[in-house]
Every structure is written in C-alpha cells, then in structure tokens.
Amino acid sequence: MLTTATPDRDLLVDHRGRPRVAVPTSLTHDQSLLGTAFHEAGHAVLALAQGLHLVSSEVVAWLSGPGQSTVTGRTSFSAARIEDIHPWRFAAQAAAGSLAEVRYLMDHGLWTPERAAACPGTHDRDQAVDVLAGMGYRLGVDHVPPGGKSWGQVRGMAWHRINRLWPQIRTVAHAMYETPFLTGEQIAAMTGLTNAPMPGGVA
C-alpha cells in the first residue's frame, strides 16, 4: 500500500487550500500508518454514531523522499443541508480524529509529549471553526466565546464518546490498516452502527 506516486492535491491541503503540515514522529512507517488509521476511524465512527451519512474513510501512504514515507487520510460524509448537521456533534467528530490517534499511542506504549503534539488535528479544528461560523455558531480556539464553546470543551465531548465507542474505533482502524479504503456501508456493517441514508436519496 506504500506508493511512489504523490497523492491527489486535495489530500495535501486543508479546506482553505493551505498545505497540511507534516510533522516527524519518530514512529516506524507501520506505526504511523496504524496511527493514521485510528485518526480516520475516530472521525468515521463518531460520524456514524451522530447520524451523519458516512461516504468513505481511507488512509494513503507514499514515499515522500529517500527512505522517508508520509501518511495521511480522509473521511467523507454528507448532509442534504448544512442546517441538518448538529453543530456540536459535527465539532466533536472533527476533534475525534486526533484524540483517537493519541489514544492509540497510549494503548500501544508509544505515547510521548512530542508524539502527542504531532497529532493536534489543526486542520480538523479550523474546518470545524469555519463550518460552525457558517451556521451562526461560535467555536473558540483558546477561549469560550459568548454563546459558544471552546475547542477544549469540544475535545472533552469527543473524548467521552471515543471512550464509549473505542471497540468500534479499534475495529475500523485495524480493518483500514489492512484495506486502506472503506466505504461507509462497510464501516457500518463492521461496527453495528447505522449509516444514515444518503441525503436526497432513497431511504
């Protein structure tokens, strides 16, 4: 699953078109790959559990330099209208990726402060801030805005749900490590969670 081809540009930039920052972790390629699978599994499982239609989740690994590999991932879901998405559930789903990755490091004896800092999910946080702003909700990065919530509060919500759904997240992560692209229906089947109908489609 390690390729020499650079992935599509949309896997290398965030929703604002900025390059995603690659941070060295001192992990082996396989450890990084599984960590990224846990990251995407966190997004995917919380999306299902919170009623979003999950389209797919994947990890992508490529040779980015001599003796150097880079791993990233993507999880896609959809809603008919942005107003149909519960704002704080969407934000918790966004926070779940990096938190699931940190839990993976802890459970596998790989956690260090430096490695935890290397999976902050900044692009996930910024997307949540922008999406919620478009819905009229305020998500503060380092403070609680009037009438809104802070990213720290959202991470607390996500951590609680990750702990409750950890068996499902672990199942999806290990499946994605073996098969890097999974559909929403495949993930729903292996977790026992319901994938909401495709927006605008037949139930």
Side-chain angles (χ1 to χ4, degrees), residues 76-97:
S76 303
F77 46 84
S78 61
R81 302 177 308 150
I82 193 67
E83 294 83 3
D84 294 335
I85 299 176
H86 187 288
W88 304 118
R89 290 178 182 173
F90 175 83
Q93 170 277 140

Side-chain angles (χ1 to χ4, degrees), residues 49-137:
Q50 296 177 153
L52 294 170
H53 174 75
L54 179 64
V55 177
S56 63
S57 192
E58 64 180 316
V59 292
V60 179
W62 70 100
L63 288 171
S64 51
Q68 175 182 318
S69 63
T70 298
V71 185
T72 190
R74 170 174 52 194
T75 297
S76 303
F77 46 84
S78 61
R81 302 177 308 150
I82 193 67
E83 294 83 3
D84 294 335
I85 299 176
H86 187 288
W88 304 118
R89 290 178 182 173
F90 175 83
Q93 170 277 140
S98 60
L99 293 175
E101 193 172 354
V102 168
R103 169 96 186 245
Y104 152 75
L105 294 173
M106 294 168 65
D107 284 3
H108 288 75
L110 300 170
W111 188 94
T112 66
E114 294 76 19
R115 287 172 178 165
C119 46
T122 304
H123 63 284
D124 294 323
R125 181 201 67 198
D126 291 348
Q127 183 178 34
V129 169
D130 289 350
V131 169
L132 264 64
M135 299 167 66
Y137 292 88

